[in-house]
Amino acid sequence: MADVNRGNRPLSPHLQVYRLPLPAITSILTRITGHALSAGILLLVWWLVAAVTSPGAFATADWVLRSWLGFLIMTASTWALWFHALSGVRHLFYDNGMGLEIEDAKRASWGIIIGSVALTVLSLIIFFIG
Amino acid sequence: MRYITPRKAAQGLGSARAGTAHHWNITMSSYALIVLTPLFLIAVGGAIGLPQDQVVAHFGRPFPGIITALFIIVGMIHFIKGSQGGAIADYVHGTAQQLTMVAIAIFGWGVIAAAVFALAKMAFTLPAI
């Protein structure tokens, strides 16, 4: 009989109802932050090129960079950069066979999340004081 | 007729036809970027908010200029290779994949060219004294 055990088997996790584990979220965020950094580098390089173009071009780029939107992009980029960096360091440990146990991966995920926020706050403090 | 054996033709290439070169590229550039990232944030953070002539003078100095150029060059090559061999290879296929890879290369090298141009011009700008 084909349906002897029907209803008693474990269900395959469907993607839409499957709660992603933390290491999966931090892993996906590594790719997302890597690509999202395009916005920050584009804004920054536009500002650099504008600085050697003309006073008008620089005024426009500098206004955008120092606007609330520019501050948001730069702060988010700083966080994305730290997140991607810390997560990248984890990958270097992974490459050497370290931190691959589930509990270690969870701990490292929290370390990356907390560390990236802390380093972003530290970067902003140094930026506004220095 | 090919004298090379099928094994020799395939050896070291792997399924991606590039062997371990891609992984090695990303790993090596990531080591460099660990060092460059904090230095880059210091170099750029010290310039945002300055008036134009001081921005030019700031990046005209050796430390901010060289660090910013190095970070953007190494970082964008890391991005081009990482994106093409990572997310694009995984999620985009066929002609769309090739076009996306070309677009990423144009974006990445365009950013490098623009940044190097601006930084070089700043480095060669003589201070108005």
Side-chain angles (χ1 to χ4, degrees):
Chain A
M1 296 289 282
D3 57 348
V4 167
N5 199 19
R6 184 164 291 170
N8 202 19
R9 285 179 243 135
L11 290 169
S12 170
H14 192 275
L15 274 179
Q16 284 169 313
V17 297
Y18 182 59
R19 186 161 158 267
L20 286 170
L22 194 62
I25 294 169
T26 48
S27 173
I28 293 162
L29 270 174
T30 308
R31 279 189 170 178
I32 294 174
T33 49
H35 285 83
L37 277 166
S38 300
I41 203 72
L42 204 59
L43 181 57
L44 192 77
V45 171
W46 174 42
W47 179 74
L48 284 176
V49 173
V52 294
T53 303
S54 68
F58 182 75
T60 309
D62 198 50
W63 181 80
V64 173
L65 190 72
R66 294 166 70 182
S67 68
W68 65 268
L69 183 66
F71 177 76
L72 197 69
I73 293 172
M74 282 296 127
T75 305
S77 295
T78 307
W79 172 78
L81 188 58
W82 281 123
F83 186 96
H84 194 87
L86 292 180
S87 189
V89 169
R90 175 165 72 165
H91 268 284
L92 297 176
F93 280 100
Y94 280 168
D95 289 348
N96 291 286
M98 287 183 268
L100 292 164
E101 296 300 323
I102 291 174
E103 286 309 312
D104 293 341
K106 276 184 188 167
R107 262 195 295 276
S109 294
W110 279 115
I112 290 164
I113 293 166
I114 295 166
S116 61
V117 173
L119 283 165
T120 305
V121 172
L122 184 72
S123 303
L124 285 177
I125 290 170
I126 291 172
F127 173 71
F128 280 109
I129 289 176
Chain B
M1 132 164 219
R2 295 185 78 198
Y3 291 98
I4 195 168
T5 62
R7 183 202 165 108
K8 180 66 183 171
Q11 200 158 32
L13 289 172
S15 60
R17 297 279 165 262
T20 52
H22 174 261
H23 179 257
W24 186 250
N25 271 319
I26 297 294
T27 307
M28 285 301 109
S29 50
S30 70
Y31 277 116
L33 287 163
I34 292 169
V35 179
L36 288 171
T37 295
L39 297 176
F40 166 77
L41 285 173
I42 292 166
V44 169
I48 292 174
L50 295 177
Q52 188 177 8
D53 56 337
Q54 287 182 36
V55 169
V56 172
H58 176 86
F59 289 105
R61 303 208 320 270
F63 171 77
I66 291 169
I67 289 296
T68 306
L70 265 182
F71 177 85
I72 292 176
I73 292 167
V74 179
M76 292 316 286
I77 291 174
H78 181 84
F79 168 71
I80 294 167
K81 289 189 181 298
S83 180
Q84 288 179 338
I88 305 308
D90 286 352
Y91 307 131
V92 190
H93 302 291
T95 308
Q97 182 184 68
Q98 294 191 330
L99 292 174
T100 313
M101 286 188 178
V102 170
I104 284 166
I106 291 170
F107 170 74
W109 286 105
V111 167
I112 291 173
V116 168
F117 170 81
L119 291 167
K121 201 164 177 185
M122 290 175 182
F124 290 114
T125 299
L126 294 172
I129 304 170

